[in-house]
Amino acid sequence: MLRISRYLSKMEIGQLLLSLVFTVGQIFFDLRLPDYMSQVTKLVETPGSRMSDIWKEGGKMLLISMGSLLCAIAVGYFMARIGASFSQRLRSLEFRKVESFGPAEMDRFSTASLITRSTNDVTQIQIFITMGLLMVFRAPIMGVWAVFKIAGKGADWTWATGIATVILMAFMAIIMALVIPKFKAMQKLTDNINQVARENLTGLRVVRAYNAEDYQEKKFDKANDELTGTQLFTTRVIAVMMPLMNTVMNGLSLSIYWIGAYLIKAAGAMDRLTLFSNMVVFSSYAMQVISAFLLLAMVFVLWPRADVSAQRVLEVLDTEPIVRSGSVTTGKNGESGTVEFRNVQFTYPRARKPMLEGISFKAERGQTVAFIGSTGSGKSSLINLVPRFYDVSDGQVLVDGVDVRDWDVQALRDRLGYVPQQSVMFKGTVASNVSYGAKPEHSEDVELADTSTAEGRRHELELIAASSDNVGLTDAQMEDVRKAGQVAQASEFVERMDGGWQAPIAQSGSNVSGGQKQRLSIARAVYRKPEVLIFDDSFSALDFKTDRAVRDALKTQAVGVTKLIVAQRIGTIMDADTIVVLDDGRVAGVGTHDELLKTCPVYKEIAQSQLSPEELEA
Ligand SMILES: Nc1ncnc2c1ncn2[C@@H]1O[C@H](COP(=O)(O)OP(=O)(O)OP(=O)(O)O)[C@@H](O)[C@H]1O
């Protein structure tokens, strides 16, 4: 929990210190009250006291109470502010950190856990800051101060308070020993429930199609019951805590008065009034000591969960992606549009066996290099090394003559137009999806925006607005969107949509078909005007005619752009300048279609399974 405080802004630290001052003020006022109470008691007991004197002392008590109230309000206000702005910053930082993650980091954390870590975990930290943080300071200050106030005011009463304190501490120790491990488990169980819910929602169609609702429900019920069971246990234990504490508190009050009654009975008439007043004061201070323990108990309720959450949030924030950015921003000797693999070996993190071995080829500027091979032969794995989703285990991948590990990652990816195997659409419009690469990249400024100040929050909003849906594309940009759409053979269906290029795209592109998504995804890559276009099996959802039309358009419209194409269909890649045939992560052949038909049995087998004898002869 302490380590996460390094993300507090200066303003928040200032507010925290101010709250601390107000807390000390509140304690001061609270501990002054018994003194006035003692005065009032004396006045009431002393024959001949005037009502106005009692009113005066009572008035002072009221003022002191008001002072305490105002301090409490100030503390509550500042702590709520700190809690809200700090958690906002943590969420933003986590979001940006996750954006820098590659597949390796995503595999390590899992999507569900990352969602819990930036929502539920941050909320636990916020609750602790708002409700528990100042108690950490308030409880000991109040306890020690109150002990000083009662020191020397009666050995018997002090003994009674000491015994009550020991009983309280014993109760608290038992309760904490019972609940802390459960609190730790609770966040993991929340991850679990998120994971099951997420899987169910994303796979809803399959669940329905296979009538697997019961199975899914059982899985969810199990996760839900586990979480509920743990929550019930901790809540029950904590529910017992308060009555126990109150019993001890009331027991102590009773003991003080009981002891007082004996002492007063044994004292002489002159001392009785002083003793009585001392007893009232002592009892008030003793209650303050016990209250300090009650506050500590509250801290112990909130702290363990917040501490676990802080560790989980820090785990994300402290993770440095395996793929680290280099510094090169231009190609070697002005080279442009070349991609070369030099004896590349690649092993997936946590895998024992290399997935790719001995891969070498070079794509010159403007050339088309295609990759074909059976399912699982490593085509996607190979292509993923170019944008550095993973790094090679051995050998080199060079873009424009520079090792991809030396490239500044942004500069490298700016040169590439990547079309993934599964198209991804974002909520927005057709145009905003196609022009996605034109958005300003997230700026370092955002990370530093101090959201604890009004100025910082305004700045953050401006930056968010600048990077949100680019509704206002310039005419030139809109022209580029249309051109990219034409190359990807998307214009026809887009123009038939309600709103044309401004037609809305639902979350995950659920209002367009698989083939349409694929075409928009291709348009998005073309729009960037990259040096290298990478198609990871991107033509598979297209019909043969569209596949052909897209490739023809690319030939005429994307001249000089290097194309790396992963494909299942021979027809898609037949005219490539070079075809690399993969078999179980090794190169089985490299050459043109005609060459490979003669020299590569694996390629010949694939070709024979897809083409007619006439096509093969042609
Ligand atoms: N993230 C990963 N971690 C570990 N192994 C992986 C990972 N992704 C893929 N693999 C393994 O790498 C192998 C090659 O997968 P890859 O996706 O590169 O094949 P592919 O040739 O593109 O197949 P397809 O044509 O079906 O898309 C597979 O055996 C797969 O199990």
Side-chain angles (χ1 to χ4, degrees):
M1 193 70 201
L2 266 183
R3 280 198 304 133
I4 208 160
S5 62
R6 69 173 185 264
Y7 292 104
L8 281 168
S9 71
K10 284 198 186 105
M11 175 69 116
E12 283 158 357
I13 293 172
Q15 288 172 344
L16 190 62
L17 292 176
L18 205 59
S19 307
L20 211 56
V21 172
F22 279 116
T23 304
V24 174
Q26 194 191 351
I27 297 171
F28 171 77
F29 287 130
D30 286 350
L31 293 179
R32 285 290 288 163
L33 272 182
D35 294 340
Y36 289 102
M37 211 150 89
S38 149
Q39 291 293 338
V40 174
T41 320
K42 271 189 187 150
L43 283 171
V44 171
E45 294 286 321
T46 313
S49 298
R50 281 181 304 165
M51 195 60 190
S52 61
D53 291 338
I54 296 176
W55 270 112
K56 213 165 114 192
E57 292 304 315
K60 283 185 193 163
M61 274 181 92
L62 202 63
L63 277 179
I64 295 263
S65 304
M66 289 292 288
S68 166
L69 179 72
L70 289 178
C71 286
I73 291 174
V75 170
Y77 172 76
F78 284 126
M79 293 320 285
R81 266 190 85 107
I82 298 171
S85 64
F86 186 55
S87 52
Q88 184 193 21
R89 180 162 332 97
L90 286 183
R91 276 191 297 270
S92 301
L93 286 172
E94 269 197 87
F95 186 80
R96 272 151 218 154
K97 182 54 104 175
V98 172
E99 274 190 311
S100 73
F101 283 178
E105 289 79 29
M106 293 304 289
D107 283 353
R108 184 183 143 200
F109 285 107
S110 90
T111 312
S113 177
L114 284 172
I115 292 172
T116 322
R117 285 167 203 249
S118 46
T119 51
N120 187 299
D121 280 309
V122 174
T123 308
Q124 299 304 329
I125 299 170
Q126 181 175 0
I127 292 174
F128 177 73
I129 291 178
T130 314
M131 293 167 65
L133 183 56
L134 269 196
M135 311 283 185
V136 176
F137 302 103
R138 189 177 152 79
I141 300 177
M142 195 161 113
V144 172
W145 203 332
V147 166
F148 268 109
K149 286 259 185 185
I150 52 177
K153 280 211 164 85
D156 298 325
W157 290 326
T158 310
W159 269 108
T161 314
I163 292 168
T165 310
V166 171
I167 295 174
L168 263 186
M169 283 167 70
F171 276 146
M172 270 166 61
I174 294 169
I175 287 169
M176 289 311 130
L178 286 174
V179 296
I180 288 181
K182 297 285 177 188
F183 276 132
K184 289 194 174 162
M186 214 123 89
Q187 292 313 101
K188 273 227 148 63
L189 292 172
T190 313
D191 269 359
N192 199 17
I193 210 159
N194 269 355
Q195 189 252 321
V196 178
R198 196 173 173 278
E199 189 185 68
N200 188 48
L201 293 174
T202 47
L204 204 60
R205 287 183 202 193
V206 180
V207 173
R208 295 242 168 93
Y210 285 83
N211 287 329
E213 285 93 342
D214 283 349
Y215 173 69
Q216 285 297 112
E217 266 169 39
K218 271 187 203 132
K219 257 206 311 199
F220 186 79
D221 285 348
K222 186 169 173 278
N224 203 4
D225 286 347
E226 277 170 358
L227 181 63
T228 313
T230 315
Q231 275 173 340
L232 274 177
F233 178 83
T234 52
T235 326
R236 278 177 188 147
V237 174
I238 285 165
V240 172
M241 187 167 81
M242 282 301 159
L244 269 179
M245 300 271 173
N246 278 331
T247 310
V248 176
M249 216 159 151
N250 294 334
L252 177 62
S253 251
L254 196 67
S255 316
I256 290 173
Y257 281 96
W258 200 327
I259 294 167
Y262 277 106
L263 292 176
I264 290 170
K265 196 176 164 200
M270 288 301 287
D271 294 334
R272 279 189 177 166
L273 184 54
T274 317
L275 259 176
F276 181 71
S277 138
N278 271 356
M279 182 181 72
V280 172
V281 174
F282 195 102
S283 136
S284 298
Y285 285 131
M287 289 309 113
Q288 303 281 8
V289 175
I290 301 292
S291 303
F293 277 95
L294 284 182
L295 291 182
L296 263 191
M298 253 186 91
V299 172
F300 282 126
V301 169
L302 298 171
W303 177 78
R305 213 170 162 189
D307 187 51
V308 175
S309 293
Q311 280 170 29
R312 285 161 52 93
V313 170
L314 278 172
E315 221 181 311
V316 176
L317 296 181
D318 291 345
T319 297
E320 279 311 319
I322 299 174
V323 171
R324 281 170 177 267
S325 184
S327 56
V328 179
T329 52
T330 49
K332 193 177 164 194
N333 303 327
E335 216 175 292
S336 136
T338 63
V339 179
E340 186 179 359
F341 275 54
R342 278 190 199 156
N343 201 18
V344 164
Q345 181 184 316
F346 170 65
T347 311
Y348 273 108
R350 291 197 289 272
R352 288 210 201 120
K353 226 172 97 241
M355 180 56 241
L356 299 170
E357 254 182 320
I359 312 284
S360 297
F361 69 87
K362 182 164 185 186
E364 297 291 352
R365 181 169 190 267
Q367 278 192 339
T368 301
V369 175
F371 305 88
I372 198 160
S374 56
T375 300
S377 57
K379 306 180 292 292
S380 300
S381 308
L382 183 151
I383 218 106
N384 283 341
L385 298 175
V386 184
R388 282 195 80 195
F389 294 148
Y390 291 98
D391 272 341
V392 294
S393 318
D394 201 8
Q396 274 186 308
V397 176
L398 301 110
V399 169
D400 296 348
V402 177
D403 192 314
V404 285
R405 288 167 293 190
D406 297 332
W407 271 103
D408 171 86
V409 175
Q410 267 195 3
L412 170 72
R413 290 178 184 161
D414 274 346
R415 282 169 164 70
L416 310 173
Y418 171 73
V419 187
Q421 198 162 14
Q422 278 162 355
S423 326
V424 178
M425 291 288 120
F426 299 93
K427 190 171 178 338
T429 62
V430 175
S432 75
N433 267 284
V434 174
S435 64
Y436 196 69
K439 284 195 191 121
E441 286 298 320
H442 52 264
S443 137
E444 287 300 310
D445 277 343
V446 186
E447 202 156 311
L448 298 174
D450 180 359
T451 48
S452 59
T453 63
E455 179 64 21
R457 281 194 295 278
R458 221 178 359 258
H459 183 47
E460 170 114 1
L461 283 179
E462 278 164 16
L463 289 162
I464 292 167
S467 61
S468 66
D469 280 355
N470 46 352
V471 182
L473 289 177
T474 62
D475 288 348
Q477 283 175 318
M478 262 323 290
E479 194 45 41
D480 283 345
V481 166
R482 280 194 201 94
K483 274 191 196 151
Q486 270 162 15
V487 172
Q489 308 301 306
S491 304
E492 200 194 323
F493 83 82
V494 170
E495 275 152 22
R496 267 190 281 117
M497 282 171 86
D498 235 2
W501 293 98
Q502 298 306 334
I505 294 287
Q507 198 174 2
S508 319
S510 55
N511 61 336
V512 276
S513 78
Q516 288 170 339
K517 267 198 271 192
Q518 198 68 275
R519 284 187 245 183
L520 291 179
S521 191
I522 294 171
R524 180 191 291 154
V526 173
Y527 174 88
R528 295 196 95 182
K529 301 193 181 104
E531 283 179 14
V532 181
L533 274 166
I534 301 172
F535 299 100
D536 186 357
D537 209 1
S538 320
F539 297 94
S540 55
L542 306 181
D543 56 81
F544 286 95
K545 196 172 135 229
T546 314
D547 178 344
R548 169 95 256 163
V550 173
R551 282 184 290 119
D552 286 348
L554 281 172
K555 234 183 243 166
T556 54
Q557 307 283 318
V559 188
V561 179
T562 311
K563 291 147 207 120
L564 304 182
I565 304 180
V566 168
Q568 303 278 1
R569 298 201 291 245
I570 290 269
T572 310
I573 56 149
M574 261 165 71
D575 1 319
D577 298 296
T578 309
I579 300 168
V580 179
V581 186
L582 285 180
D583 187 25
D584 197 16
R586 318 289 181 272
V587 175
V590 179
T592 59
H593 173 70
D594 292 335
E595 287 164 2
L596 288 168
L597 276 181
K598 290 185 197 115
T599 58
C600 179
V602 179
Y603 187 77
K604 196 170 172 191
E605 203 181 308
I606 300 171
Q608 279 170 340
S609 68
Q610 294 185 18
L611 302 176
S612 62
E614 297 78 44
E615 284 170 317
L616 278 171
E617 304 265 302

